[in-house]
Amino acid sequence: MKLAPHLHRLGNDVVASYLVDLPEGITLVDAGLPGHWNDLRRKLTELGRPLSDIRGLVLTHGDGDHIGFAERLRSEAGVPVFIHSADAHRVRTGEKPKTPMGPARIGPMLGFFAYGVRKNALRTRHVSEVVTVADGQVLDLPGSPVVIGMPGHSPGSIAVHIPGADAVFVGDALTTRHVLTGRVGPQPAPFTDEPEEADASLDRLAAVSASWVLPGHGAPWRGSPADIAAAVRTAG
């Protein structure tokens, strides 16, 4: 899906990742599920860009439904994978604390897991080599992505602000579609390690200037980060 000039979504409202297409190359944010590899290749064909135009993949955190094709992209195409140092162990091993599942409805929950099976979630490969990043760092990638620390969902959760795309990518710092209840609209994401810390991190998101806020699950938000941060807190 093309959202705006240079800005594209892979996947759908269940699980999404993003592609920023600029003359100097392509930056990816998150890698969805393994089966989204085919979505990536179709999008590159549509854009007339080779795989070699991808300069880097930035992960918003290390959970399995965000790292799907990352190791394949790294090992087959030599694309570096960037992640906050606090989530480096998680992305290499899959080890993470158990969190309460919270509210759920059987239909949406089964739909989420069924979609994962269709997209080969059970075959997700951990990322063996990563480049670690830190809060405030500007990456030497197309669009000059800015790393914004958003701890809470995981210790190393980040938002990725790409000013040239007028967008901030938030991973699971919030959601606009709860994968377990089916509820739509801005709200806290499930499976969050530290909910109070995640809520505090919304202040950092609210300070960003962008016209798009793009979550890992749910519809893209066309509006200000400050407005969606306030809406998440109201819903929470």
Side-chain angles (χ1 to χ4, degrees), residues 40-126:
L40 171 63
R41 297 307 301 260
R42 282 193 294 270
K43 175 56 69 174
L44 291 173
T45 298
E46 176 186 317
L47 295 171
R49 306 289 295 259
L51 193 63
S52 58
D53 275 1
I54 300 174
R55 303 290 186 250
L57 164 62
V58 187
L59 300 176
T60 59
H61 60 296
D63 287 348
D65 54 349
H66 293 256
I67 71 170
F69 58 74
E71 177 63 8
R72 182 172 185 178
L73 186 66
R74 187 202 67 79
S75 61
E76 294 186 12
V79 174
V81 178
F82 299 82
I83 193 164
H84 191 282
S85 57
D87 264 27
H89 181 73
R90 184 178 293 211
V91 80
R92 291 189 186 108
T93 67
E95 295 177 5
K96 56 182 288 187
K98 291 184 178 180
T99 56
M101 189 170 72
R105 294 174 57 228
I106 190 67
M109 183 173 64
L110 289 178
F112 174 58
F113 289 115
Y115 182 76
V117 170
R118 290 199 303 274
K119 290 294 185 179
N120 295 325
L122 299 178
R123 298 182 180 179
T124 301
R125 296 162 60 190
H126 302 307

